[in-house]
Amino acid sequence: MSSIERTVALLWPATLETFAMVAWSLFLSHLLGIPLGLLLVLTGPGGVAENKLAYRILDAAVNFGRSVPFVILTVSVVPLTRFLTGTSIGPVAAVVPLTLAALPFVARLTETAVLTVDRGTIEACISMGASRFDLIRFVFIPESLPSLVSGMAITAVNLVGYSAMAGAIGGGGLGDLAVRFGYQRWETGIMLASVAVLVAGVQIIQLLGDRISRRLRR
Amino acid sequence: MITVEHLCKSYNGPHGPIKVLNDVSFQVQRGEIFGIYGPSGVGKTTLLRCLSLLEKPDSGDIFIAREKVSSLAGKDARHVRLRLGLSVVFQGYNLLNSRTALGNVMLPLEIRRVPRAEARSKAKELLKLTGLGSRQDFYPSNLSGGEKQRVAIARALVTEPRVLLLDEPTSALDRETAISILQLVEKLNRIYSVTVLIVTHQIELARPITSRGIFMSPNGKGVEVKENVVN
Ligand SMILES: Nc1ncnc2c1ncn2[C@@H]1O[C@H](COP(=O)(O)OP(=O)(O)OP(=O)(O)O)[C@@H](O)[C@H]1O
Ligand SMILES: [Mg+2]
């Protein structure tokens, strides 16, 4: 096996693992984080369902989630990870801490994006008889979609970084590969190649995010 | 149809509360087109915001179709808006940037769960009436100020409201277009006996269609209202 063949044989499955980890945790963190962000907006100051206590609790929970270092989060949720995935190592298991790390971040980005929706536009819809659910469906999400997509790209890039860290503690993927070959065996070629793939991945994510966001911005 | 009694409203300004509405009272009959005039900053928009239940007055009452609405908020306000057929054209148009002109006009019908095809054809009809048939697929960012204003008017009319609150609905329009829009309002008023409250600076344009009105004037404490000054 030539050295190029060997590099590809190592890189390809690791790339797929990283892609799967990032894609799944991106999906799941948005599935949970967007509703949480909307809840922050609805209950927050001046929101249509303003509730000081609920907001304070959610707000503190989000801040708490965002302040826990990723490595500590990963280790401390091992029982949950085991319960959900049946294992605590490998790319499938890594999706649990990755999702939990991104979730409060997504919630905050969603809150920030929705808060930029013009107050007058919201009132116009209220004056038409819109319910809270109508507001979410017709105003909050569509009007902030360009910002939500930009935020999604930021989250995806962060997840690529986190997934490399998850890899280093047994998650698999490109980060794992770079550490195993680069740090432990001094095979600089493999390490550089995996870093190059990560860099390319981040570039592609950002490019796509910017493109889509710009197209949505009317 | 609409009774406003001793309405007071102040806002918290940077240097303490500003009294904007100070004991405003008037009545609007069913099917009337009623003018609200006065210089900038006098509280006309504030008055309409109270009437559209977006703002709660500090004191005083508002009755619409004999129903006391001034203390309502949230769900109750929503039900009243739908039941009484309240519709508003805002001074700043307040269109949704994520929707085309047609999409904006369809929105109040979607909120009322009108079937899509029906909502579409009704919205198209209103856009034609306001002279925007050829702009239906444009997003607000690609419409001129006057075009946006007409989309806002079409959006307010599409639900066949019983009470129409218009805040400077023709301010961005040329004389001819403004007159045609006001004539459209008058026509709807005549056919469906819609009750219309119209805030406007263009008194001479509104005069032919309004029956009565109030002039809001700033005084030391707030606003003094004289009825029937125009006609
Ligand atoms: N949310 C607010 N907070 C504080 N002050 C406000 C607020 N909204 C309006 N005001 C003040 O209330 C006064 C009346 O405002 P309003 O918008 O009702 O005037 P208007 O008669 O509609 O004026 P224009 O003809 O320029 O539209 C203004 O002096 C304004 O500064
Ligand atoms: Mg005004």
Side-chain angles (χ1 to χ4, degrees), chain B residues 44-46 91 167-168 199:
Chain B
K44 306 180 297 294
T45 296
T46 305
Q91 196 168 10
D167 198 348
E168 300 280 5
V199 170

Side-chain angles (χ1 to χ4, degrees), chain B residues 11-12 18 20 39-46 91 201:
Chain B
Y11 285 118
N12 290 320
I18 324 165
V20 180
S40 177
V42 84
K44 306 180 297 294
T45 296
T46 305
Q91 196 168 10
H201 286 298

Side-chain angles (χ1 to χ4, degrees), chain A residues 118 120-121 123-131 134 137-139 142-143 218, chain B residues 49 78 81-82 90 94 96-99 107-108 110-113 139 141 155:
Chain A
D118 179 47
T121 309
E123 284 183 339
C125 295
I126 292 175
S127 83
M128 292 171 205
S131 64
D134 290 333
R137 205 155 62 114
F138 295 132
V139 191
E143 289 286 295
R218 310 274 185 193
Chain B
R49 287 177 61 80
R78 182 166 91 86
R81 283 188 192 103
L82 291 170
F90 292 84
N94 297 346
L96 275 77
N97 293 320
S98 57
R99 285 178 170 241
L107 181 59
E110 287 174 44
I111 286 171
R112 285 165 178 74
R113 309 288 181 262
Y139 283 88
S141 57
R155 187 173 70 174

Side-chain angles (χ1 to χ4, degrees), chain B residues 113-126:
Chain B
R113 309 288 181 262
V114 172
R116 231 183 143 64
E118 192 186 333
R120 231 183 133 73
S121 70
K122 260 193 154 164
K124 277 189 180 175
E125 190 186 316
L126 257 298

Side-chain angles (χ1 to χ4, degrees), chain B residues 8-28:
Chain B
C8 294
K9 174 77 194 172
S10 31
Y11 285 118
N12 290 320
H15 317 291
I18 324 165
K19 199 136 202 190
V20 180
L21 303 176
N22 187 19
D23 200 16
V24 178
S25 302
F26 63 90
Q27 278 198 5
V28 181

